[in-house]
Amino acid sequence: MSGAATANPSVAALRARFGAAIGRSAVVHGATLVHVARDRAHEAFAFLRDEPSERYDYLVDVTAVEYRDRELPLEVVYHLRSIPRNAFLRVKIALDRSGPFEVDSVVDLWQGANWLEREVWDMFGVRFAGHPDHRRILMWETYDEGHPLRKDFPLRGRFSRAEQVRRALGADLSAHYSMDELSIADAYGELPADMRQRLKGAAAPEGKGRSS
Amino acid sequence: MAEKRVLELALATPGVDAAGNAMRVPLVSAEHTAQEPELDSDHMLINIGPQHPATHGVLRLVVELDGEVVMRVIPHIGYLHSGFEKLGEYRHYNQIIPLTDRTDYLSAPANNIAFALAAERLMGIEITPRCTVLRVIACELSRIISHLVWAGTTAIDIGAFTVFLWMFQERERVYNLIEAWTGARLTTSLTRVGGLMADLPEGWTGRLREWCARFPKTLDEVDRMLLRNGIWLGRTQDVGVMTAAEATNWSLSGPMLRASGVAYDVRKDQPYLGYETYDFEVPVGEKGDVYDRYLVRMEEMRQSVRILLQALDRLPDGPINADDPRVILPPKQKAMSDMESMIHHFKQVMEGVPAPAGEVYFPVENPKGELGTYLVSDGTAKPVRWRIRPPSFLNLAALPRMAEGHLLSDLIAINASVDIVMGEIDR
Amino acid sequence: MELSTPSPQGASGFVSPNWVTTRLDDLVNWSRANSLWPMAFGTACCAIEFMATAASRFDLARFGMERVAYSPRQADVLICAGRLPFKLAPVIRRIWDQMPQPKWCISMGACASTGGIFDNYAMVQGIDTIVPVDVYVPGCPPRPEGLLYGILLLQKKIKGESVFDPSLRVEQLADQRGLFLEPAAVDELSEPFGNSVHQTRSA
């Protein structure tokens, strides 16, 4: 279902370049949205940023939407803007509910994606391959009630209130979790296994180098 | 050489042991006890916050220092995470309006308006001319009070305490106006979907005009104190520079983006509320340092006064709420006497107003930057997704880029110049 | 039952009040109440109203709160101004522990007192589950006059204390992990009731 005549011409440019990897598009309340397949998404974003006719140099937002209807996929939504052309585009990657929630990170294209993708990981559990600092950002790193914005996560959390307070008080105040801090303290080996797995995307702990 | 120190940093692990104690894994394991961590002997790892007067909220900065020079700074946020977006999925659209007050609590009316505009676009409601102009007035007043807090707290961080008291005194005068209009100083809940909570009281426009006449003199006093002050210049010029390309790539917005030389303002480029019909300028800086941000924000306050006067001149009479009984509550007398009004009242309060299925992203130019509201509806009265695109979140993410290589006191000045509000960052 | 002979220490360590102790109490309480140094633990919107109360129009300094202590070691009263999420819970606990006795706590605002409008996964439902609170100031945010009234109430409370009452300065933790109420009490108090029951439904 392609958009009306007022659709953003970037959709046609994307279709011309990527063909079948571009899914449905629409114009909703004045904004054009287009679906992109997960495996070619990073190329598509690089095209949108670098192609002279597109030049989406400003990443407005990265977020995710999970619908109440379980049949619908979980969508990772990117809002892009081209400041020189004053254009706006919404790009969505639909992730099947059953499959792994993983997409490629766009931090190498837009630095603004760094914290935005961390928040999507924290709130939805979507992994971003290649992200230099893949940790939770709003909840504490060892928060184990789940990913709060998922629809199967109850509003008041999974644990009882007393248990939540107890766990919160047990968290350590001086904990350092970023690769930068850990490399200073040379503690990579003592991390829990799943955290190590996830942080492995970043460089192995170095003494002086900066990860970004 | 200075002696090496062994740092002991404990790491919390998931879960608790049988006795209910948190299990702690020492960062330095048995085989490493004799070895120091890889911290350059001249470097110091310090922690600023989350409780700290100069972090402007509950922000934690872990800083690696070489003497006074910041080698690395890692911001930790989330200490004010309140679950706004989750809560929004369990509330009707009008019930979300009080929540928006508490995200960016320094400019609450602007947040109310941002959300109401997004919800109105989603539902296809058109607001009345009087409501449009009143919302512009509220937006610009919010811009001024937010910048007043910014100016006061930045000055106090850099050492000029008097400016803080002057700015808060001005803020009190604006609070009087806002309180006369909405009943609340800070958490206003000014808008409703389709209109406003209340119309202006008698004589309010006259009082606003008086205030607009006196306020620029306060700004002039502040400028007299700071603009060409040698200490101020020394503390703010060439500190925390972001080039235009960097600012764009790091998704900065608002005064942070404009101070770096990128002339993007949502009011000019994607106008809403009739901003294209107002005559105002948008200050754009050149160097992108703390001083430019100061200049941009001070000038924005003056331009806001200009917009306020124009809005007061063109304020039309008429209703403030759209004429749509399914969306706007009927007046109380009618709800008690007229059957149809009673049914409308009942449905709106008990069931909420359903929005047609669809999605909208509505950006507004908040004082902190581009505040975007992304609403996704599935046809029910509660949104499927309420996403706040927080300007301060992205502005703060660039703090490491701006502060590394500067002195510790510069870090404080740069942090102040970002103009963060943790309620919006953490939501 | 003891006769009121003026002995310095009773069997339980409690000193029977007599003319000397009451005069001493008056002096100590007067000096404590009129120079409370607040530890402004400001988190959210209430912190802005606290700053407004400290600024020129409402002026906390005339109540003795001239110096807002930013270090807990030098503070008397912890004013928790704003909502307290779980991530911040150990921080306020540590700040409270770092404050030396005598210390008091004012819970400013609805969120600090009960969790406020944030009955969700992220928010502590009242700081009294973590630290002992002396005065609760309701409001969202409370007006500066409200906060001032709360401070005056605290001053009145302090003036009713006694230096010779050892129970006042001892903290009783209900749970070894730092909870101030029994876990069952925390759960019971935090349950939604009345209209709030309907507010945890999404669709």
Side-chain angles (χ1 to χ4, degrees), chain B residues 38-82:
Chain B
E38 269 192 63
L39 180 67
D40 194 295
S41 62
D42 293 327
H43 292 188
M44 185 166 52
L45 192 70
I46 67 165
N47 185 68
I48 304 179
Q51 185 276 318
H52 193 280
T55 52
H56 300 281
V58 282
L59 169 68
R60 178 179 171 215
L61 298 172
V62 177
V63 186
E64 182 188 355
L65 288 176
D66 177 11
E68 283 275 317
V69 178
V70 172
M71 304 304 293
R72 260 185 279 203
V73 57
I74 299 145
H76 291 259
I77 62 173
Y79 290 93
L80 201 57
H81 177 62
S82 318

Side-chain angles (χ1 to χ4, degrees), chain B residues 20-21 51 53 77-82 89-91 102 105-106 168 172 176 179 185-187 382, chain C residues 39 45 48-49 51 57 70 83 85 87 95 120-123 140-141 143-144 176-177 199-202:
Chain B
N21 305 314
Q51 185 276 318
I77 62 173
Y79 290 93
L80 201 57
H81 177 62
S82 318
E89 295 169 14
Y90 293 73
R91 299 281 177 270
R102 287 132 176 108
Y105 35 80
L106 300 174
F168 266 73
E172 289 291 331
N176 284 343
E179 193 181 14
R185 288 154 52 102
L186 196 70
T187 48
K382 301 183 186 179
Chain C
M39 169 82 228
C45 347
I48 306 301
E49 284 297 63
M51 281 156 63
R57 186 176 179 183
Y70 292 106
R83 48 193 188 256
K87 194 166 177 180
I95 298 245
N120 59 28
Y121 63 91
M123 198 62 60
C140 191
R143 279 195 60 106
Q176 68 187 93
R177 297 288 294 278
Q199 306 221 327
T200 54
R201 281 197 328 243
S202 174

Side-chain angles (χ1 to χ4, degrees), chain B residues 212-279:
Chain B
C212 287
R214 288 179 42 206
F215 175 61
K217 300 195 182 69
T218 307
L219 289 180
D220 290 338
E221 275 187 53
V222 174
D223 270 343
R224 252 203 305 278
M225 180 165 273
L226 296 178
L227 190 68
R228 285 199 295 268
N229 181 319
I231 300 176
W232 186 260
L233 292 173
R235 289 291 306 264
T236 59
Q237 283 193 329
D238 291 322
V239 169
V241 173
M242 283 288 267
T243 64
E246 283 174 342
T248 312
N249 198 257
W250 282 85
S251 300
L252 302 187
S253 54
M256 294 287 293
L257 183 64
R258 290 193 285 278
S260 296
V262 181
Y264 184 78
D265 185 323
V266 186
R267 293 175 294 174
K268 292 282 196 191
D269 295 303
Q270 320 231 305
Y272 53 97
L273 290 178
Y275 268 109
E276 66 273 16
T277 60
Y278 290 84
D279 181 29

